[in-house]
Amino acid sequence: MGKGGGCVPSKKRQPSSAEGSAAATATATTATNNAPIEADEETHETASVAVNSTNAQSVTATVKIFIVYYSMYGHVEKLAKRMKKGVDGVEGVEAVLYRVPETLPADVLDHMKAPSKNPEVPEIKAAELAEADGVLFGFPTRFGCMAAQMKAFFDSSGQLWKEQTLAGKPAGFFVSTGTQGGGQEATAWTAITQLAHHGMLFVPIGYTFGAGMFKMDSIRGGSPYGAGVYAGDGTREPTETELGLAEHQGKYMAGVVKRLCQA
């Protein structure tokens, strides 16, 4: 059971204290109804406290969505930050930003003029994914597939795969490509294999962004698979439409994960 609210129960899940209290309360209520005399006030007060305690725990539980990304020039990171805004805007849901470890040496990154990584966003280890109720993965394309840094991260999740720890957890993608036709759909599509082997649930956004999905008056990244941005030669900045789609995806994903956790 994840720390973020535990909407994906363990196969060996034991009854929680809250469930035990609720069961005890139900037993006490049944016994009271069958009693020949009315139960005293203390019994009613104890049952009320137990029920209120259970309700308080369910209300205060926070659903956690991890936004895990790799960004070389900052485009994916900008989408991730806007996506977090969308997630955090849904009551009872919180987004946590993480970046995957870099695999290129510093001298190569310097040669590629890649900026320094954001020190405020911590690196994540694969095992930490177990704590999330849902995950949004972001990455740039490399010939129609995810960047090697994100692939290396998935490759490090073997223990989670062996135990099927992530099975049933919802997940989505957002991407960055250099050009139109450079992989806005293919990059997300080819990444679905990672989710399939883990038993995770792919959550695309479809056309839920409404009119924004049909705009033809400007260049816009993104697809029914998820938000996206065109990076060009690295100098192009995400447009407000692209950022708006990222925020929408965060809000949409938060709603889906929240409903699953309450089911």
Coordinates of all heavy atoms in Angstrom, one line a residue, residues 77-176:
E77 N 10.7 20.0 -18.1 CA 10.6 20.5 -16.7 C 9.5 21.6 -16.6 O 8.7 21.6 -15.7 CB 11.9 21.0 -16.2 CG 11.8 21.5 -14.7 CD 13.2 21.9 -14.2 OE1 13.7 23.0 -14.5 OE2 13.8 21.1 -13.4
K78 N 9.5 22.5 -17.6 CA 8.4 23.5 -17.6 C 7.0 22.9 -17.7 O 6.1 23.4 -17.0 CB 8.7 24.5 -18.8 CG 9.9 25.4 -18.6 CD 10.0 26.4 -19.8 CE 11.1 27.4 -19.6 NZ 12.4 26.8 -19.6
L79 N 6.9 21.9 -18.5 CA 5.6 21.2 -18.5 C 5.3 20.5 -17.2 O 4.1 20.6 -16.7 CB 5.6 20.1 -19.6 CG 5.7 20.6 -21.1 CD1 5.5 19.3 -22.0 CD2 4.6 21.6 -21.4
A80 N 6.3 19.9 -16.6 CA 6.1 19.2 -15.3 C 5.6 20.2 -14.2 O 4.7 19.9 -13.4 CB 7.4 18.6 -14.9
K81 N 6.2 21.4 -14.2 CA 5.8 22.4 -13.2 C 4.4 22.8 -13.4 O 3.6 23.0 -12.4 CB 6.8 23.5 -13.2 CG 8.2 23.2 -12.7 CD 9.1 24.4 -12.7 CE 10.4 24.1 -12.1 NZ 11.3 25.3 -12.1
R82 N 4.0 23.0 -14.6 CA 2.6 23.5 -14.9 C 1.7 22.3 -14.6 O 0.5 22.5 -14.2 CB 2.5 23.9 -16.3 CG 1.2 24.6 -16.7 CD 1.1 26.0 -15.9 NE -0.1 26.7 -16.4 CZ -0.1 27.6 -17.3 NH1 1.1 28.0 -17.8 NH2 -1.2 28.2 -17.7
M83 N 2.1 21.1 -14.9 CA 1.3 19.9 -14.6 C 1.0 19.8 -13.1 O -0.1 19.4 -12.7 CB 2.0 18.7 -15.1 CG 1.1 17.5 -15.3 SD 2.0 16.2 -16.3 CE 1.9 17.0 -18.0
K84 N 2.0 20.1 -12.3 CA 1.9 20.1 -10.8 C 0.8 21.0 -10.4 O 0.0 20.7 -9.5 CB 3.2 20.4 -10.2 CG 3.1 20.5 -8.6 CD 4.5 20.7 -8.0 CE 4.4 21.1 -6.6 NZ 3.6 20.2 -5.7
K85 N 0.7 22.2 -11.0 CA -0.3 23.2 -10.7 C -1.7 22.6 -10.9 O -2.6 22.8 -10.1 CB -0.1 24.4 -11.5 CG -1.1 25.5 -11.2 CD -0.9 26.7 -12.1 CE -2.0 27.8 -11.9 NZ -1.8 29.0 -12.8
G86 N -1.8 21.8 -12.0 CA -3.1 21.2 -12.3 C -3.5 20.2 -11.3 O -4.6 20.1 -10.8
V87 N -2.5 19.3 -10.9 CA -2.8 18.3 -9.9 C -3.1 18.9 -8.5 O -4.1 18.5 -7.9 CB -1.5 17.4 -9.7 CG1 -1.7 16.4 -8.5 CG2 -1.2 16.6 -11.0
D88 N -2.3 19.9 -8.1 CA -2.5 20.5 -6.8 C -3.9 21.2 -6.7 O -4.3 21.5 -5.6 CB -1.4 21.4 -6.5 CG -0.1 20.7 -6.2 OD1 -0.1 19.5 -6.0 OD2 1.0 21.3 -6.3
G89 N -4.4 21.6 -7.8 CA -5.7 22.3 -7.9 C -6.9 21.4 -7.5 O -8.0 21.9 -7.3
V90 N -6.7 20.1 -7.5 CA -7.8 19.2 -7.1 C -7.7 18.9 -5.6 O -6.7 18.4 -5.1 CB -7.7 17.9 -7.9 CG1 -8.7 16.9 -7.5 CG2 -7.8 18.2 -9.4
E91 N -8.8 19.1 -4.9 CA -8.8 18.9 -3.5 C -8.5 17.5 -3.1 O -9.0 16.5 -3.7 CB -10.2 19.2 -3.0 CG -10.3 19.2 -1.4 CD -11.7 19.5 -0.9 OE1 -12.6 19.8 -1.8 OE2 -11.9 19.5 0.3
G92 N -7.6 17.3 -2.1 CA -7.2 16.0 -1.6 C -6.1 15.3 -2.4 O -5.8 14.2 -2.1
V93 N -5.6 16.0 -3.4 CA -4.5 15.4 -4.3 C -3.3 16.3 -4.3 O -3.4 17.5 -4.3 CB -5.0 15.2 -5.7 CG1 -4.0 14.4 -6.5 CG2 -6.4 14.5 -5.8
E94 N -2.1 15.7 -4.2 CA -0.9 16.5 -4.1 C 0.1 15.9 -5.1 O 0.2 14.7 -5.3 CB -0.3 16.4 -2.7 CG 1.1 17.0 -2.6 CD 1.7 16.8 -1.3 OE1 1.2 16.0 -0.4 OE2 2.8 17.3 -1.0
A95 N 0.8 16.8 -5.9 CA 1.8 16.3 -6.8 C 3.2 16.5 -6.2 O 3.4 17.5 -5.5 CB 1.7 17.1 -8.1
V96 N 4.1 15.6 -6.5 CA 5.5 15.7 -6.1 C 6.4 15.6 -7.3 O 6.3 14.6 -8.0 CB 5.8 14.6 -5.0 CG1 7.3 14.8 -4.5 CG2 4.8 14.6 -3.9
L97 N 7.3 16.5 -7.5 CA 8.2 16.5 -8.6 C 9.4 15.7 -8.3 O 10.0 15.9 -7.2 CB 8.6 18.0 -9.0 CG 7.5 18.9 -9.6 CD1 8.0 20.3 -9.8 CD2 6.9 18.3 -10.9
Y98 N 9.8 14.9 -9.3 CA 11.1 14.2 -9.2 C 11.8 14.2 -10.5 O 11.1 14.2 -11.6 CB 10.9 12.7 -8.8 CG 10.5 12.5 -7.3 CD1 9.1 12.2 -7.0 CD2 11.4 12.6 -6.3 CE1 8.8 12.0 -5.7 CE2 11.0 12.4 -5.0 CZ 9.7 12.1 -4.7 OH 9.3 11.9 -3.4
R99 N 13.1 14.1 -10.6 CA 13.8 13.9 -11.8 C 14.6 12.6 -11.8 O 15.1 12.2 -10.7 CB 14.7 15.1 -12.1 CG 15.7 15.5 -11.0 CD 16.4 16.8 -11.4 NE 17.2 17.3 -10.3 CZ 18.5 16.9 -10.1 NH1 19.1 16.1 -10.9 NH2 19.2 17.3 -9.0
V100 N 14.7 12.0 -12.9 CA 15.5 10.8 -12.9 C 17.0 11.1 -13.1 O 17.4 12.2 -13.5 CB 15.1 9.9 -14.1 CG1 13.6 9.5 -14.0 CG2 15.4 10.5 -15.4
P101 N 17.9 10.2 -12.6 CA 19.3 10.5 -12.7 C 19.8 10.7 -14.1 O 19.3 10.1 -15.1 CB 19.9 9.2 -12.1 CG 18.9 8.6 -11.2 CD 17.6 8.9 -12.0
E102 N 20.8 11.6 -14.2 CA 21.5 11.8 -15.5 C 22.5 10.7 -15.8 O 23.1 10.2 -14.8 CB 22.2 13.2 -15.4 CG 23.0 13.6 -16.7 CD 22.1 13.7 -17.9 OE1 21.4 14.7 -18.0 OE2 22.1 12.7 -18.7
T103 N 22.6 10.3 -17.0 CA 23.5 9.2 -17.4 C 24.7 9.7 -18.2 O 25.7 9.0 -18.3 CB 22.8 8.1 -18.2 OG1 22.2 8.7 -19.4 CG2 21.7 7.5 -17.4
L104 N 24.6 11.0 -18.7 CA 25.7 11.5 -19.5 C 26.8 12.2 -18.5 O 26.4 12.8 -17.5 CB 25.2 12.6 -20.5 CG 24.4 12.0 -21.6 CD1 23.8 13.2 -22.5 CD2 25.1 11.0 -22.5
P105 N 28.0 12.1 -18.9 CA 29.1 12.7 -18.1 C 29.0 14.2 -18.2 O 28.5 14.8 -19.2 CB 30.4 12.1 -18.6 CG 30.0 11.7 -20.0 CD 28.6 11.2 -19.9
A106 N 29.5 14.9 -17.2 CA 29.5 16.4 -17.2 C 30.1 17.1 -18.4 O 29.6 18.1 -18.9 CB 30.1 16.9 -15.9
D107 N 31.2 16.5 -18.9 CA 31.9 17.2 -20.0 C 31.0 17.1 -21.3 O 31.0 18.0 -22.1 CB 33.3 16.6 -20.2 CG 33.2 15.1 -20.5 OD1 32.3 14.4 -20.0 OD2 34.1 14.6 -21.2
V108 N 30.3 16.0 -21.4 CA 29.4 15.9 -22.6 C 28.3 16.8 -22.5 O 27.9 17.5 -23.5 CB 28.9 14.4 -22.7 CG1 27.8 14.3 -23.8 CG2 30.0 13.4 -23.0
L109 N 27.7 17.0 -21.3 CA 26.6 17.9 -21.1 C 27.1 19.4 -21.3 O 26.3 20.2 -21.9 CB 26.0 17.8 -19.7 CG 25.3 16.5 -19.4 CD1 25.0 16.4 -17.9 CD2 24.0 16.4 -20.2
D110 N 28.3 19.7 -20.9 CA 28.8 21.0 -21.2 C 29.0 21.2 -22.7 O 28.7 22.3 -23.2 CB 30.2 21.1 -20.5 CG 30.1 21.2 -19.0 OD1 29.0 21.5 -18.5 OD2 31.1 21.0 -18.3
H111 N 29.5 20.2 -23.4 CA 29.6 20.3 -24.8 C 28.3 20.6 -25.5 O 28.2 21.3 -26.5 CB 30.3 19.1 -25.4 CG 30.6 19.1 -26.8 ND1 31.6 19.9 -27.4 CD2 30.0 18.5 -27.9 CE1 31.6 19.8 -28.7 NE2 30.7 18.9 -29.0
M112 N 27.2 19.9 -25.0 CA 25.9 20.1 -25.5 C 25.2 21.3 -25.0 O 24.1 21.6 -25.4 CB 25.1 18.8 -25.2 CG 25.6 17.6 -25.7 SD 24.7 16.1 -25.2 CE 23.2 16.3 -26.1
K113 N 25.9 22.1 -24.2 CA 25.4 23.4 -23.7 C 24.1 23.1 -22.9 O 23.1 24.0 -22.9 CB 25.2 24.4 -24.8 CG 26.5 24.9 -25.4 CD 26.2 25.9 -26.5 CE 27.5 26.5 -27.0 NZ 28.6 25.6 -27.2
A114 N 24.0 22.0 -22.2 CA 22.8 21.7 -21.4 C 23.0 22.5 -20.0 O 24.0 22.4 -19.4 CB 22.7 20.2 -21.1
P115 N 21.9 23.1 -19.6 CA 22.0 23.9 -18.3 C 22.0 22.9 -17.1 O 21.7 21.7 -17.3 CB 20.6 24.6 -18.3 CG 19.7 23.9 -19.2 CD 20.6 23.3 -20.2
S116 N 22.4 23.4 -16.0 CA 22.5 22.6 -14.8 C 21.1 22.1 -14.4 O 20.1 22.8 -14.6 CB 23.1 23.4 -13.6 OG 24.4 23.8 -14.0
K117 N 21.1 21.0 -13.7 CA 19.8 20.5 -13.2 C 19.3 21.3 -12.0 O 20.0 21.9 -11.3 CB 19.9 19.0 -12.8 CG 20.4 18.1 -13.9 CD 19.3 18.0 -15.0 CE 19.6 16.9 -16.0 NZ 20.7 17.3 -16.9
N118 N 18.0 21.3 -11.9 CA 17.3 22.1 -10.8 C 17.6 21.4 -9.5 O 17.1 20.3 -9.3 CB 15.8 22.2 -11.1 CG 15.1 23.1 -10.1 OD1 15.6 23.5 -9.1 ND2 13.8 23.4 -10.4
P119 N 18.3 22.1 -8.6 CA 18.6 21.4 -7.3 C 17.4 21.3 -6.4 O 17.5 20.5 -5.4 CB 19.7 22.3 -6.7 CG 19.4 23.7 -7.3 CD 18.9 23.4 -8.7
E120 N 16.4 22.0 -6.7 CA 15.2 22.0 -5.8 C 14.3 20.7 -6.1 O 13.4 20.4 -5.3 CB 14.3 23.2 -6.0 CG 15.0 24.5 -5.6 CD 14.2 25.7 -5.8 OE1 13.0 25.6 -6.3 OE2 14.6 26.8 -5.4
V121 N 14.6 20.1 -7.2 CA 13.8 18.9 -7.5 C 14.7 17.7 -7.3 O 15.8 17.5 -7.9 CB 13.4 18.9 -9.0 CG1 12.6 17.6 -9.4 CG2 12.5 20.1 -9.3
P122 N 14.4 16.8 -6.3 CA 15.2 15.7 -6.0 C 15.2 14.6 -7.0 O 14.3 14.4 -7.8 CB 14.6 15.2 -4.7 CG 13.2 15.5 -4.8 CD 13.2 16.8 -5.5
E123 N 16.3 13.8 -7.1 CA 16.4 12.6 -7.9 C 15.6 11.5 -7.2 O 15.4 11.5 -6.0 CB 17.8 12.1 -8.1 CG 18.6 13.0 -9.1 CD 19.9 12.3 -9.4 OE1 20.3 11.2 -8.8 OE2 20.7 12.8 -10.3
I124 N 15.0 10.6 -8.0 CA 14.2 9.6 -7.5 C 14.8 8.2 -7.8 O 15.5 8.1 -8.8 CB 12.8 9.6 -8.1 CG1 11.9 8.6 -7.5 CG2 12.8 9.4 -9.7 CD1 10.4 8.7 -7.9
K125 N 14.6 7.3 -6.9 CA 15.0 5.9 -7.2 C 13.8 5.1 -7.5 O 12.7 5.4 -7.0 CB 15.7 5.3 -5.9 CG 17.0 6.0 -5.6 CD 17.7 5.4 -4.3 CE 19.0 6.0 -4.0 NZ 19.7 5.4 -2.8
A126 N 14.0 4.1 -8.3 CA 12.8 3.3 -8.8 C 11.9 2.8 -7.7 O 10.7 2.8 -7.8 CB 13.3 2.2 -9.7
A127 N 12.5 2.4 -6.6 CA 11.8 1.8 -5.5 C 10.8 2.8 -4.9 O 9.8 2.4 -4.3 CB 12.7 1.3 -4.4
E128 N 11.1 4.1 -5.0 CA 10.2 5.1 -4.4 C 8.8 5.2 -5.2 O 7.9 5.8 -4.7 CB 10.9 6.4 -4.4 CG 12.1 6.5 -3.5 CD 12.8 7.9 -3.6 OE1 12.3 8.8 -2.9 OE2 13.8 8.0 -4.3
L129 N 8.8 4.6 -6.4 CA 7.5 4.7 -7.1 C 6.4 3.9 -6.4 O 5.2 4.2 -6.6 CB 7.7 4.0 -8.5 CG 8.5 4.8 -9.5 CD1 8.7 3.9 -10.8 CD2 8.0 6.1 -9.8
A130 N 6.7 3.0 -5.5 CA 5.7 2.2 -4.8 C 4.9 3.1 -3.8 O 3.8 2.8 -3.4 CB 6.4 1.2 -3.9
E131 N 5.5 4.3 -3.5 CA 4.8 5.2 -2.6 C 3.7 6.1 -3.3 O 2.9 6.8 -2.6 CB 5.8 6.1 -1.9 CG 6.9 5.4 -1.1 CD 8.0 6.3 -0.6 OE1 7.8 7.5 -0.7 OE2 9.0 5.8 -0.1
A132 N 3.7 6.1 -4.6 CA 2.8 6.9 -5.3 C 1.4 6.2 -5.6 O 1.4 5.0 -5.7 CB 3.4 7.3 -6.7
D133 N 0.4 7.0 -5.7 CA -0.9 6.5 -6.0 C -1.1 6.6 -7.6 O -2.0 5.9 -8.1 CB -2.0 7.3 -5.4 CG -2.0 7.1 -3.8 OD1 -1.9 6.0 -3.4 OD2 -2.1 8.1 -3.1
G134 N -0.3 7.4 -8.2 CA -0.3 7.5 -9.7 C 0.9 8.2 -10.1 O 1.6 8.9 -9.3
V135 N 1.3 8.0 -11.3 CA 2.6 8.6 -11.8 C 2.4 9.2 -13.2 O 1.8 8.6 -14.1 CB 3.7 7.6 -11.9 CG1 5.1 8.2 -12.2 CG2 3.8 6.7 -10.6
L136 N 3.0 10.4 -13.4 CA 3.1 11.0 -14.7 C 4.6 11.1 -15.1 O 5.4 11.7 -14.4 CB 2.5 12.4 -14.7 CG 1.0 12.5 -14.6 CD1 0.5 13.9 -14.2 CD2 0.3 12.1 -16.0
F137 N 4.9 10.4 -16.2 CA 6.3 10.4 -16.7 C 6.5 11.3 -17.8 O 5.7 11.3 -18.8 CB 6.7 9.0 -17.1 CG 6.6 7.9 -16.0 CD1 5.6 7.1 -15.9 CD2 7.7 7.8 -15.1 CE1 5.5 6.1 -15.0 CE2 7.7 6.8 -14.2 CZ 6.6 6.0 -14.1
G138 N 7.6 12.2 -17.8 CA 7.8 13.1 -18.8 C 9.3 12.9 -19.4 O 10.2 12.7 -18.6
F139 N 9.4 13.0 -20.7 CA 10.8 12.8 -21.3 C 10.8 13.4 -22.7 O 9.8 13.4 -23.4 CB 11.1 11.3 -21.3 CG 9.9 10.4 -21.6 CD1 9.5 10.2 -22.9 CD2 9.2 9.8 -20.5 CE1 8.4 9.4 -23.1 CE2 8.2 9.0 -20.8 CZ 7.8 8.8 -22.1
P140 N 12.0 13.7 -23.2 CA 12.1 14.1 -24.6 C 12.2 12.9 -25.5 O 12.5 11.8 -24.9 CB 13.4 14.9 -24.6 CG 14.2 14.4 -23.4 CD 13.2 13.9 -22.4
T141 N 12.1 13.1 -26.7 CA 12.2 11.9 -27.7 C 13.6 11.7 -28.1 O 14.4 12.6 -28.2 CB 11.3 12.2 -28.9 OG1 11.2 11.0 -29.7 CG2 11.8 13.3 -29.8
R142 N 13.9 10.5 -28.5 CA 15.1 10.1 -29.1 C 14.7 9.1 -30.2 O 14.5 8.0 -30.0 CB 16.1 9.5 -28.2 CG 16.6 10.4 -27.0 CD 17.4 11.6 -27.6 NE 18.0 12.4 -26.4 CZ 17.4 13.5 -26.0 NH1 16.2 13.9 -26.5 NH2 17.9 14.2 -25.0
F143 N 14.6 9.6 -31.5 CA 14.2 8.8 -32.6 C 12.9 8.1 -32.4 O 12.7 6.9 -32.7 CB 15.3 7.8 -32.9 CG 16.6 8.5 -33.2 CD1 17.7 8.3 -32.3 CD2 16.8 9.2 -34.3 CE1 18.9 8.9 -32.5 CE2 18.1 9.8 -34.6 CZ 19.1 9.7 -33.7
G144 N 11.9 8.8 -31.8 CA 10.6 8.2 -31.6 C 10.4 7.4 -30.3 O 9.3 6.9 -30.1
C145 N 11.4 7.4 -29.5 CA 11.3 6.7 -28.2 C 11.8 7.6 -27.1 O 12.3 8.6 -27.4 CB 12.2 5.4 -28.3 SG 11.7 4.2 -29.5
M146 N 11.5 7.1 -25.9 CA 12.0 7.9 -24.7 C 13.5 8.1 -24.7 O 14.2 7.2 -25.2 CB 11.5 7.3 -23.4 CG 12.1 5.9 -23.1 SD 11.6 5.3 -21.5 CE 9.8 5.1 -21.7
A147 N 14.0 9.2 -24.1 CA 15.4 9.4 -23.9 C 16.0 8.3 -23.1 O 15.4 7.7 -22.2 CB 15.6 10.7 -23.3
A148 N 17.3 8.0 -23.3 CA 18.0 6.9 -22.7 C 18.0 7.1 -21.1 O 18.0 6.1 -20.4 CB 19.5 6.9 -23.2
Q149 N 18.0 8.3 -20.6 CA 18.0 8.5 -19.2 C 16.7 8.0 -18.6 O 16.8 7.3 -17.5 CB 18.1 10.0 -18.9 CG 19.5 10.6 -19.2 CD 19.6 11.0 -20.7 OE1 18.8 10.7 -21.5 NE2 20.7 11.8 -21.0
M150 N 15.6 8.2 -19.2 CA 14.3 7.6 -18.7 C 14.3 6.1 -18.9 O 13.8 5.4 -18.0 CB 13.1 8.3 -19.4 CG 11.8 7.9 -18.9 SD 11.5 8.2 -17.1 CE 11.2 9.9 -17.1
K151 N 14.8 5.6 -20.0 CA 14.8 4.2 -20.2 C 15.7 3.5 -19.2 O 15.4 2.4 -18.7 CB 15.4 3.9 -21.6 CG 15.4 2.4 -22.0 CD 14.0 1.8 -21.9 CE 13.9 0.4 -22.5 NZ 14.8 -0.6 -21.8
A152 N 16.8 4.1 -18.8 CA 17.7 3.6 -17.8 C 17.0 3.5 -16.4 O 17.2 2.6 -15.7 CB 19.0 4.4 -17.6
F153 N 16.1 4.5 -16.2 CA 15.4 4.5 -14.9 C 14.4 3.4 -14.9 O 14.3 2.6 -13.9 CB 14.6 5.8 -14.8 CG 13.7 5.9 -13.6 CD1 14.2 6.0 -12.3 CD2 12.3 5.8 -13.7 CE1 13.4 6.1 -11.2 CE2 11.5 5.8 -12.6 CZ 12.0 6.0 -11.4
F154 N 13.7 3.1 -16.0 CA 12.8 2.0 -16.1 C 13.5 0.7 -16.0 O 13.0 -0.3 -15.4 CB 11.9 2.1 -17.4 CG 10.7 2.9 -17.3 CD1 10.6 4.1 -18.0 CD2 9.6 2.5 -16.6 CE1 9.5 4.9 -17.9 CE2 8.5 3.2 -16.5 CZ 8.4 4.4 -17.2
D155 N 14.7 0.7 -16.6 CA 15.5 -0.6 -16.5 C 15.9 -0.9 -15.1 O 16.2 -2.1 -14.8 CB 16.8 -0.4 -17.4 CG 16.5 -0.5 -18.9 OD1 15.3 -0.9 -19.2 OD2 17.3 -0.2 -19.7
S156 N 16.0 0.1 -14.2 CA 16.3 -0.1 -12.8 C 15.2 -0.5 -11.9 O 15.3 -0.7 -10.7 CB 17.0 1.2 -12.2 OG 16.0 2.2 -12.1
S157 N 14.0 -0.7 -12.6 CA 12.8 -1.1 -11.8 C 12.5 -2.6 -11.8 O 11.4 -3.0 -11.5 CB 11.6 -0.3 -12.3 OG 11.3 -0.7 -13.7
G158 N 13.5 -3.4 -12.0 CA 13.4 -4.8 -12.1 C 12.7 -5.4 -10.9 O 11.9 -6.4 -11.0
Q159 N 13.1 -5.0 -9.7 CA 12.6 -5.6 -8.4 C 11.1 -5.3 -8.3 O 10.3 -6.1 -7.9 CB 13.3 -5.0 -7.2 CG 13.0 -5.7 -5.9 CD 13.4 -7.2 -5.9 OE1 14.4 -7.6 -6.5 NE2 12.6 -8.0 -5.2
L160 N 10.7 -4.1 -8.7 CA 9.3 -3.7 -8.7 C 8.5 -4.6 -9.7 O 7.4 -5.0 -9.4 CB 9.1 -2.2 -9.1 CG 9.7 -1.2 -8.1 CD1 9.5 0.2 -8.7 CD2 9.0 -1.3 -6.7
W161 N 9.1 -4.8 -10.8 CA 8.5 -5.7 -11.8 C 8.3 -7.1 -11.3 O 7.3 -7.7 -11.5 CB 9.3 -5.7 -13.1 CG 9.0 -6.8 -14.0 CD1 7.9 -6.9 -14.9 CD2 9.7 -8.0 -14.2 NE1 7.9 -8.1 -15.5 CE2 9.0 -8.8 -15.1 CE3 10.9 -8.5 -13.6 CZ2 9.4 -10.1 -15.5 CZ3 11.3 -9.8 -14.0 CH2 10.6 -10.6 -14.9
K162 N 9.4 -7.6 -10.7 CA 9.4 -9.0 -10.2 C 8.3 -9.2 -9.2 O 7.6 -10.2 -9.2 CB 10.7 -9.3 -9.5 CG 10.9 -10.7 -9.0 CD 12.2 -10.9 -8.4 CE 12.4 -12.3 -7.8 NZ 13.7 -12.5 -7.1
E163 N 8.0 -8.2 -8.3 CA 7.0 -8.3 -7.3 C 5.7 -7.7 -7.7 O 4.7 -7.8 -7.0 CB 7.5 -7.6 -6.0 CG 8.8 -8.1 -5.4 CD 9.3 -7.3 -4.3 OE1 8.8 -6.2 -4.0 OE2 10.3 -7.7 -3.7
Q164 N 5.6 -7.1 -8.9 CA 4.4 -6.5 -9.5 C 3.9 -5.5 -8.5 O 2.7 -5.3 -8.3 CB 3.4 -7.5 -9.8 CG 3.7 -8.3 -11.1 CD 3.7 -7.4 -12.4 OE1 2.6 -7.0 -12.9 NE2 4.9 -7.1 -12.9
T165 N 4.8 -4.7 -7.9 CA 4.4 -3.7 -6.9 C 3.6 -2.6 -7.5 O 2.8 -2.0 -6.9 CB 5.7 -3.1 -6.3 OG1 6.5 -4.2 -5.8 CG2 5.4 -2.1 -5.2
L166 N 3.8 -2.3 -8.8 CA 3.2 -1.1 -9.4 C 1.9 -1.5 -10.2 O 1.2 -0.7 -10.7 CB 4.1 -0.5 -10.4 CG 5.5 0.0 -9.9 CD1 6.3 0.7 -11.0 CD2 5.3 0.9 -8.7
A167 N 1.5 -2.8 -10.1 CA 0.4 -3.3 -10.8 C -0.9 -2.6 -10.3 O -1.1 -2.5 -9.1 CB 0.2 -4.8 -10.7
G168 N -1.7 -2.1 -11.3 CA -2.9 -1.4 -10.9 C -2.7 0.1 -10.7 O -3.7 0.8 -10.6
K169 N -1.5 0.6 -10.7 CA -1.3 2.1 -10.5 C -1.5 2.8 -11.8 O -1.0 2.4 -12.9 CB 0.1 2.4 -10.0 CG 0.3 2.0 -8.5 CD 1.7 2.5 -8.1 CE 2.0 2.0 -6.7 NZ 1.2 2.7 -5.6
P170 N -2.3 3.9 -11.8 CA -2.5 4.7 -13.1 C -1.2 5.5 -13.4 O -0.5 5.9 -12.5 CB -3.6 5.7 -12.7 CG -4.1 5.2 -11.4 CD -3.0 4.5 -10.7
A171 N -0.9 5.6 -14.7 CA 0.2 6.4 -15.2 C -0.1 7.0 -16.5 O -0.9 6.6 -17.3 CB 1.4 5.4 -15.3
G172 N 0.6 8.2 -16.8 CA 0.5 8.9 -18.0 C 1.8 9.4 -18.5 O 2.8 9.3 -17.8
F173 N 1.8 10.0 -19.7 CA 3.1 10.5 -20.3 C 2.9 11.9 -20.8 O 1.8 12.3 -21.2 CB 3.5 9.6 -21.5 CG 3.8 8.2 -21.1 CD1 3.1 7.2 -21.8 CD2 4.7 7.8 -20.1 CE1 3.4 5.8 -21.5 CE2 4.9 6.5 -19.8 CZ 4.3 5.5 -20.5
F174 N 4.0 12.7 -20.8 CA 4.1 13.9 -21.5 C 5.5 14.0 -22.1 O 6.5 13.5 -21.6 CB 3.8 15.1 -20.6 CG 4.6 15.3 -19.4 CD1 5.6 16.2 -19.3 CD2 4.4 14.5 -18.3 CE1 6.4 16.3 -18.1 CE2 5.1 14.6 -17.1 CZ 6.1 15.5 -17.0
V175 N 5.6 14.7 -23.3 CA 6.9 14.5 -24.1 C 7.3 15.9 -24.6 O 6.6 16.9 -24.6 CB 6.7 13.5 -25.2 CG1 6.2 12.2 -24.7 CG2 5.7 14.1 -26.3
S176 N 8.5 15.9 -25.2 CA 9.1 17.0 -25.9 C 9.8 16.4 -27.1 O 10.5 15.4 -27.1 CB 10.1 17.7 -25.0 OG 10.9 18.7 -25.8

